[in-house]
Coordinates of all heavy atoms in Angstrom, one line a residue:
D1 N -2.2 30.5 31.6 CA -3.4 30.4 30.8 C -3.0 30.3 29.3 O -3.9 30.8 28.4 CB -4.3 31.5 31.1 CG -4.9 31.3 32.5 OD1 -5.1 30.2 33.0 OD2 -5.2 32.5 33.1
H2 N -1.9 29.8 28.9 CA -1.5 29.8 27.5 C -1.1 28.3 27.2 O -0.5 27.6 28.0 CB -0.2 30.7 27.3 CG -0.5 32.2 27.4 ND1 -0.6 32.8 28.6 CD2 -0.8 33.0 26.4 CE1 -1.0 34.1 28.4 NE2 -1.0 34.2 27.0
Q3 N -1.4 28.0 25.9 CA -1.1 26.7 25.3 C 0.3 27.0 24.5 O 0.3 27.9 23.7 CB -2.1 26.2 24.4 CG -1.9 24.8 23.8 CD -3.0 24.5 22.9 OE1 -3.8 25.3 22.4 NE2 -3.2 23.1 22.7
V4 N 1.3 26.1 24.8 CA 2.6 26.5 24.3 C 3.2 25.3 23.4 O 3.3 24.2 24.0 CB 3.7 26.9 25.3 CG1 5.0 27.3 24.7 CG2 3.1 28.0 26.2
V5 N 3.4 25.4 22.1 CA 3.9 24.5 21.3 C 5.4 24.6 21.3 O 5.9 25.8 21.4 CB 3.4 24.6 19.9 CG1 4.3 23.8 18.9 CG2 1.9 24.3 19.9
Q6 N 6.1 23.6 21.3 CA 7.6 23.6 21.4 C 8.2 22.7 20.4 O 7.9 21.6 20.2 CB 8.1 23.1 22.9 CG 9.6 22.9 23.0 CD 9.9 22.3 24.3 OE1 9.4 22.6 25.3 NE2 10.9 21.3 24.3
F7 N 9.3 23.3 19.7 CA 10.0 22.6 18.7 C 11.5 22.6 19.3 O 12.0 23.6 19.8 CB 10.1 23.1 17.3 CG 8.7 23.1 16.7 CD1 7.8 24.2 16.8 CD2 8.3 21.9 16.0 CE1 6.5 24.2 16.1 CE2 7.0 21.9 15.4 CZ 6.2 23.0 15.5
R8 N 12.1 21.5 19.2 CA 13.5 21.4 19.7 C 14.5 20.6 18.8 O 14.1 19.6 18.1 CB 13.3 20.5 21.0 CG 14.5 20.0 21.6 CD 14.2 19.4 23.1 NE 15.4 18.6 23.5 CZ 15.6 18.4 24.9 NH1 14.6 18.7 25.7 NH2 16.5 17.6 25.3
L9 N 15.7 21.3 18.6 CA 16.7 20.6 17.8 C 18.0 20.6 18.7 O 18.4 21.6 19.3 CB 17.0 21.5 16.6 CG 16.3 21.1 15.3 CD1 16.4 22.2 14.3 CD2 16.9 19.8 14.7
D10 N 18.7 19.5 18.5 CA 20.0 19.2 19.3 C 21.0 18.8 18.1 O 20.7 17.7 17.5 CB 19.9 18.2 20.4 CG 21.1 18.1 21.1 OD1 22.0 19.0 21.1 OD2 21.1 17.1 22.0
I11 N 21.9 19.6 17.8 CA 22.9 19.4 16.7 C 24.3 19.6 17.2 O 24.6 20.5 17.9 CB 22.5 20.1 15.5 CG1 23.3 19.8 14.3 CG2 22.6 21.6 15.7 CD1 22.7 20.3 12.9
I12 N 25.3 18.8 16.6 CA 26.6 18.8 17.0 C 27.2 20.1 16.4 O 26.9 20.7 15.4 CB 27.4 17.7 16.3 CG1 28.9 17.6 17.0 CG2 27.5 17.7 14.9 CD1 28.9 17.0 18.4
N13 N 28.1 20.7 17.2 CA 28.9 21.8 16.9 C 29.8 21.5 15.7 O 30.5 20.4 15.8 CB 29.7 22.4 18.1 CG 30.4 23.8 17.8 OD1 30.9 23.9 16.7 ND2 30.2 24.6 18.7
D14 N 29.9 22.3 14.7 CA 30.8 22.0 13.5 C 32.2 21.8 14.0 O 33.0 21.1 13.2 CB 30.8 23.2 12.6 CG 29.4 23.6 12.2 OD1 28.6 24.1 13.0 OD2 29.0 23.6 10.9
R15 N 32.7 22.4 15.0 CA 34.1 22.3 15.4 C 34.5 20.7 15.7 O 35.7 20.5 15.7 CB 34.4 23.1 16.6 CG 34.3 24.6 16.4 CD 34.8 25.4 17.6 NE 34.1 25.2 18.9 CZ 34.6 24.6 19.9 NH1 35.9 24.2 20.0 NH2 33.8 24.5 21.0
F16 N 33.5 20.0 16.0 CA 33.8 18.6 16.4 C 33.5 17.5 15.3 O 33.7 16.3 15.6 CB 32.9 18.2 17.6 CG 33.2 19.1 18.8 CD1 32.4 20.1 19.1 CD2 34.3 19.0 19.6 CE1 32.6 21.1 20.1 CE2 34.6 19.9 20.6 CZ 33.8 20.9 20.9
V17 N 33.3 18.0 14.0 CA 33.0 17.0 13.0 C 33.7 17.6 11.8 O 33.9 18.9 11.7 CB 31.6 16.7 12.7 CG1 31.0 15.9 13.9 CG2 30.8 18.0 12.4
S18 N 33.9 16.8 10.8 CA 34.4 17.3 9.5 C 33.2 17.4 8.5 O 32.9 16.7 7.7 CB 35.5 16.3 8.9 OG 36.5 16.1 9.7
S19 N 32.5 18.6 8.8 CA 31.3 18.8 8.1 C 31.6 19.7 6.9 O 32.2 20.8 7.0 CB 30.2 19.4 9.1 OG 29.0 19.8 8.3
G20 N 30.9 19.4 5.9 CA 30.8 20.2 4.6 C 29.8 21.2 4.6 O 29.6 21.9 3.7
M21 N 29.0 21.3 5.7 CA 27.9 22.2 5.8 C 28.0 22.9 7.1 O 28.4 22.4 8.2 CB 26.5 21.5 5.6 CG 26.2 20.5 6.7 SD 24.5 19.7 6.5 CE 25.0 18.4 5.3
P22 N 27.6 24.2 7.1 CA 27.5 24.9 8.3 C 26.2 24.5 9.1 O 25.1 24.9 8.8 CB 27.4 26.4 7.9 CG 26.7 26.4 6.6 CD 27.3 25.1 5.9
L23 N 26.4 23.7 10.1 CA 25.2 23.0 10.8 C 24.4 23.8 11.5 O 23.1 23.6 11.5 CB 25.8 21.9 11.8 CG 26.6 20.8 11.0 CD1 27.2 19.9 12.1 CD2 25.7 20.0 10.2
L24 N 24.7 24.9 12.1 CA 23.8 25.8 12.7 C 22.8 26.5 11.8 O 21.7 26.6 11.9 CB 24.5 26.9 13.5 CG 23.6 27.9 14.3 CD1 22.7 27.1 15.2 CD2 24.4 28.9 15.1
R25 N 23.5 26.9 10.5 CA 22.7 27.4 9.5 C 21.6 26.4 9.0 O 20.5 26.8 8.8 CB 23.6 27.9 8.4 CG 22.8 28.5 7.2 CD 23.7 28.9 6.0 NE 24.7 29.9 6.4 CZ 24.4 31.2 6.3 NH1 23.2 31.6 5.8 NH2 25.3 32.1 6.7
E26 N 22.1 25.3 8.8 CA 21.2 24.1 8.3 C 20.1 23.9 9.3 O 18.9 23.7 8.9 CB 22.1 22.9 8.0 CG 23.0 22.9 6.9 CD 22.3 23.0 5.6 OE1 21.3 22.2 5.4 OE2 22.7 23.7 4.7
A27 N 20.4 23.9 10.6 CA 19.4 23.5 11.6 C 18.3 24.7 11.7 O 17.2 24.4 11.7 CB 20.2 23.4 13.0
L28 N 18.7 25.9 11.7 CA 17.8 27.0 11.7 C 16.9 27.1 10.4 O 15.8 27.4 10.5 CB 18.6 28.3 12.0 CG 19.1 28.5 13.5 CD1 20.0 29.7 13.6 CD2 18.0 28.4 14.4
A29 N 17.6 26.8 9.3 CA 16.9 26.8 8.1 C 15.8 25.7 8.1 O 14.7 25.9 7.6 CB 17.8 26.6 6.9
L30 N 16.2 24.5 8.5 CA 15.2 23.4 8.7 C 14.1 23.8 9.6 O 12.9 23.5 9.4 CB 16.0 22.1 9.1 CG 15.0 20.9 9.2 CD1 14.4 20.5 7.8 CD2 15.8 19.7 9.7
L31 N 14.3 24.3 10.8 CA 13.4 24.6 11.8 C 12.4 25.8 11.2 O 11.2 25.7 11.3 CB 14.0 25.3 13.1 CG 13.0 25.6 14.2 CD1 12.2 24.3 14.6 CD2 13.9 26.2 15.4
G32 N 13.0 26.7 10.4 CA 12.2 27.7 9.8 C 11.3 27.1 8.8 O 10.1 27.5 8.7
E33 N 11.7 26.1 8.0 CA 10.8 25.3 7.2 C 9.7 24.6 7.8 O 8.5 24.6 7.5 CB 11.5 24.5 6.3 CG 12.1 25.0 4.9 CD 12.2 24.0 3.8 OE1 11.4 23.2 3.7 OE2 13.1 24.1 3.0
V34 N 10.0 24.0 8.9 CA 9.1 23.1 9.7 C 7.9 24.1 10.2 O 6.7 23.7 10.1 CB 9.7 22.4 10.9 CG1 8.6 22.0 11.8 CG2 10.6 21.4 10.4
L35 N 8.3 25.3 10.5 CA 7.3 26.1 11.1 C 6.5 26.9 10.0 O 5.3 27.1 10.2 CB 8.1 27.2 12.0 CG 7.0 28.2 12.8 CD1 6.3 27.6 13.8 CD2 7.9 29.4 13.4
T36 N 7.2 27.4 9.0 CA 6.6 28.3 8.1 C 6.4 27.9 6.7 O 5.9 28.6 5.8 CB 7.3 29.7 8.0 OG1 8.7 29.6 7.6 CG2 7.4 30.3 9.5
A37 N 7.0 26.7 6.4 CA 6.9 26.2 5.0 C 6.6 24.7 5.1 O 7.4 23.8 4.6 CB 8.2 26.4 4.2
P38 N 5.5 24.3 5.7 CA 5.1 22.8 5.8 C 4.7 22.1 4.5 O 4.4 22.8 3.4 CB 3.9 22.9 6.7 CG 3.2 24.2 6.4 CD 4.4 25.2 6.1
A39 N 4.8 20.9 4.4 CA 4.3 20.1 3.3 C 2.8 20.3 3.1 O 2.0 20.2 4.0 CB 4.7 18.7 3.5
L40 N 2.4 20.7 1.9 CA 1.0 21.0 1.5 C 0.6 20.1 0.3 O 1.4 19.7 -0.5 CB 0.8 22.4 1.2 CG 1.2 23.4 2.3 CD1 1.1 24.9 1.8 CD2 0.5 23.1 3.5
E41 N -0.7 19.9 0.2 CA -1.4 19.4 -0.9 C -2.5 20.3 -1.3 O -3.4 20.4 -0.4 CB -1.8 17.9 -0.6 CG -0.7 16.9 -0.6 CD -1.3 15.5 -0.4 OE1 -2.5 15.4 0.0 OE2 -0.5 14.5 -0.5
D42 N -2.6 20.8 -2.5 CA -3.6 21.6 -2.9 C -4.0 22.7 -1.9 O -5.1 23.1 -1.7 CB -5.0 20.8 -3.2 CG -4.8 19.6 -4.1 OD1 -4.1 19.9 -5.2 OD2 -5.3 18.6 -3.9
G43 N -2.9 23.3 -1.5 CA -3.1 24.6 -0.7 C -3.6 24.2 0.8 O -4.1 25.1 1.5
R44 N -3.4 23.0 1.2 CA -3.8 22.6 2.7 C -2.8 21.6 3.1 O -2.1 21.1 2.4 CB -5.3 22.1 2.7 CG -5.4 20.9 1.8 CD -7.0 20.5 1.8 NE -7.2 19.2 1.0 CZ -8.3 18.8 0.9 NH1 -9.4 19.3 1.3 NH2 -8.4 17.6 0.2
F45 N -3.0 21.2 4.4 CA -2.0 20.2 5.0 C -2.3 18.9 4.2 O -3.3 18.6 3.6 CB -2.3 20.0 6.4 CG -1.7 21.0 7.3 CD1 -2.4 21.6 8.3 CD2 -0.3 21.3 7.1 CE1 -1.8 22.6 9.2 CE2 0.2 22.3 7.9 CZ -0.5 22.9 8.9
T46 N -1.2 18.0 4.2 CA -1.3 16.8 3.5 C -2.3 15.9 4.4 O -2.1 15.6 5.5 CB 0.1 16.1 3.5 OG1 1.0 17.0 2.8 CG2 0.0 14.7 2.8

């Protein structure tokens, strides 16, 4: 009896690429923004 929203990210492990960024950190930071820091206009959704 619950409505469940789902967000999903699939990202390569740093060990397999020559990345200058820690990809897991970047992915979780982005997901955190999507959930809790959305794009706004005048204090409301765009």
Side-chain angles (χ1 to χ4, degrees):
D1 291 327
H2 292 79
Q3 184 181 21
V4 182
V5 170
Q6 171 186 321
F7 296 95
R8 168 172 165 162
L9 264 169
D10 189 12
I11 187 167
I12 192 74
N13 188 317
D14 306 62
R15 292 191 298 119
F16 299 99
V17 293
S18 302
S19 174
M21 64 179 82
L23 292 175
L24 182 59
R25 179 182 296 275
E26 292 289 318
L28 290 172
L30 182 62
L31 183 57
E33 270 212 36
V34 168
L35 182 70
T36 63
L40 301 177
E41 287 180 349
D42 302 323
R44 61 187 184 182
F45 282 131
T46 304

